[in-house]
Structures are given as C-alpha cells and as structure tokens.
Amino acid sequence: MFSPEGPTLRELAVQALSSVERGYDLLAPKFDHTPFRTPDAVLDSVEQALEPLGPFEDGLDLCCGTGAGTDVLAGLCRHSVTGVDFSAGMLDVARRRAASERLSPATEGPGVAWVRADARALPFTAAFDLVVSFGAFGHFLPRELPGLFAQVHSVLRPGGRFAFPVLAPPRPSSPAYWMLFGFDSVMRVRNALWRPPFVMYYGAFRLGDVLAELTRAGFTVDLQTLPEFGRRGDGSPRVRLVSARRADGATPPQAA
C-alpha cells in the first residue's frame, strides 16, 4: 500500500498515537506517498465535472492537506485560491510543493494563499464562489457535521457551491468492507484507551445523513455521477460528486 518513500510502520504507529493535528504534522513530509492522498484520477474527474458549473472567481480548499485539491481550484478559479488546514506541517509541504510547481501569485493564473485554521471555525466571511474538500470528512464525528456545513455555508457567496466526491461504500460481503470495519473498530478502542484522541472513521460519513445535514444547513444539493469510475453490479455509480449550492439570500440555521 505504501511506496518506498512512504512512512515506516514505526512512523505510522507514532502518528496514530498522536493527536490528529500532531499526527499530520509528522506524516506531512511523506503524505503524498501514501494511499491517504486523493488519487489524481478523482481530482481530474471532479475538476471536469465542475468546469461547466463555472465560471468561479475565488475558491477554498477545505482541509487542503498538501494541496492536491488546491490544484483543482487553480484550474477552475480566475482570481484566487485559498488552502486551509489546521496542520502546520501539511501547509508547509503544500507551500513548498506549490512553489516548486510555480503555482503562486507571481505566475499566470489565480493567486494562491495558505491559511492555518480549524474547519469548524473558519476565519472568513462570504468570500468564495467554490469550496471543495477531498478525503477529510472521516476526521469529523457525525455530530460535528451541522456545525461544519454551517461554516462552509457562511464562507460562500450567495449562489456559491460546496463540492466533494463520495465513493460508494463497499458491500458487507467484500473484503474491503471488513477491512474498513476493522479499522474503525481499532480506532474506537484506541480512542477509548488513549489520549489525545485521533478521529478517523471511514464508516461514519454516510451519504444519506450528509445530504440531510447539507439541506438543513441551507444548501440545495445535487448528485452527479463521475462516469470515469464505472458502476457496481447493481448499476449504482462507484463515485459521485456532491454539489451543494447556497441559495441566494439563504441563512443557515444555528447548529445545536
């Protein structure tokens, strides 16, 4: 699962016994060599699906990590792109990677900024036309989704979109299902016995619950199939794009 440049088993163990923030600070230098990074095929497919919905002026990559989703926004937004994450280590890698690829305000294309902040308390007003996020929602407990989605709603301009891909969950009969179930079970035991907690649950982000919470937060939600990834045996898509639009003048309810 890991390339030779990726973290060792010992390094992963140290990261898993840290807080989420500290764990990602430690993982950051090798994160792009792990399966945790969103594959380029998913990033490219999301960019293609969002392009007809533009044009977009300003974009935010929520929980940007090392900046893979920021590259997607750079291809869609004309004015500015912002990456926000609470891991200083991940942001440092993102800055250096962007500089090496000449993705900066001094080059042709949108200006790029990096902000360290918690997604549950974003330091922005209604400043963006598009917010994307890739692979980060396992770090939020279900009870945190109303507040998270309210934050995203508050940083979008009227008519702005919040978009992210969702993979179909594996069938209970598949090895992948039991692997993810086992991972979540180990994390629950770990968090019951060890502090600080490390929140990462693959099975907690359920599409039906997510759509209901987005609607409660004031979004109009569409689902779009990403055809590049095909369909399962029952005909359902393997990967979908959730595209949640903030209605003009809509005000989200206060999260409990």
Side-chain angles (χ1 to χ4, degrees):
M1 293 180 65
F2 294 88
S3 71
E5 295 84 5
T8 64
L9 184 60
R10 180 183 180 280
E11 288 172 328
L12 286 173
V14 172
Q15 291 150 12
L17 293 175
S18 306
S19 67
V20 180
E21 180 179 350
R22 177 58 178 160
Y24 275 101
D25 286 347
L26 293 170
L27 182 61
K30 299 183 178 181
F31 179 80
D32 287 343
H33 301 287
T34 74
F36 308 130
R37 181 191 183 275
T38 302
D40 287 338
V42 174
L43 299 169
D44 293 342
S45 182
V46 169
E47 182 174 352
Q48 292 172 17
L50 288 174
E51 187 173 11
L53 303 178
F56 304 101
E57 294 296 323
D58 303 287
L60 176 69
D61 184 7
L62 187 74
C63 307
C64 66
T66 56
T70 310
D71 291 348
V72 172
L73 290 175
L76 295 169
C77 298
R78 299 186 293 193
H79 181 254
S80 75
V81 170
T82 301
V84 63
D85 203 281
F86 75 163
S87 166
M90 298 289 271
L91 288 171
D92 183 59
V93 172
R95 288 189 189 95
R96 288 188 280 108
R97 188 181 68 85
S100 69
E101 296 175 0
R102 298 185 181 275
L103 182 64
S104 72
T107 64
E108 184 178 355
V112 179
W114 308 97
V115 177
R116 185 183 181 192
D118 192 320
R120 293 161 294 195
L122 293 171
F124 311 108
T125 56
F128 303 102
D129 307 292
L130 176 62
V131 175
V132 298
S133 192
F134 296 91
F137 294 118
H139 295 302
F140 300 95
L141 297 171
R143 66 174 180 268
E144 296 178 300
L145 292 183
L148 177 67
F149 293 160
Q151 283 290 300
V152 176
H153 190 282
S154 71
V155 304
L156 280 168
R157 297 178 181 124
R161 290 185 181 269
F162 177 32
F164 50 90
V166 175
L167 278 63
R171 300 294 188 190
S173 57
S174 69
Y177 174 89
W178 292 105
M179 182 180 70
L180 298 181
F181 178 83
F183 180 91
D184 283 5
S185 298
V186 169
M187 291 303 296
R188 289 190 177 91
V189 172
R190 180 256 186 237
N191 289 333
L193 300 176
W194 192 268
R195 292 292 183 272
F198 192 102
V199 177
M200 182 66 214
Y201 298 117
Y202 284 100
F205 194 73
R206 296 182 174 88
L207 182 58
D209 297 337
V210 168
L211 299 181
E213 292 297 348
L214 284 168
T215 301
R216 283 187 59 212
F219 289 101
T220 301
V221 188
D222 294 316
L223 287 176
Q224 181 176 345
T225 298
L226 297 182
E228 295 88 346
F229 303 99
R231 293 181 176 272
R232 304 199 295 182
D234 62 359
S236 61
R238 296 186 184 277
V239 185
R240 296 176 179 179
L241 179 69
V242 176
S243 179
R245 183 177 179 272
R246 173 177 171 169
D248 291 354
T251 301
Q254 294 297 315

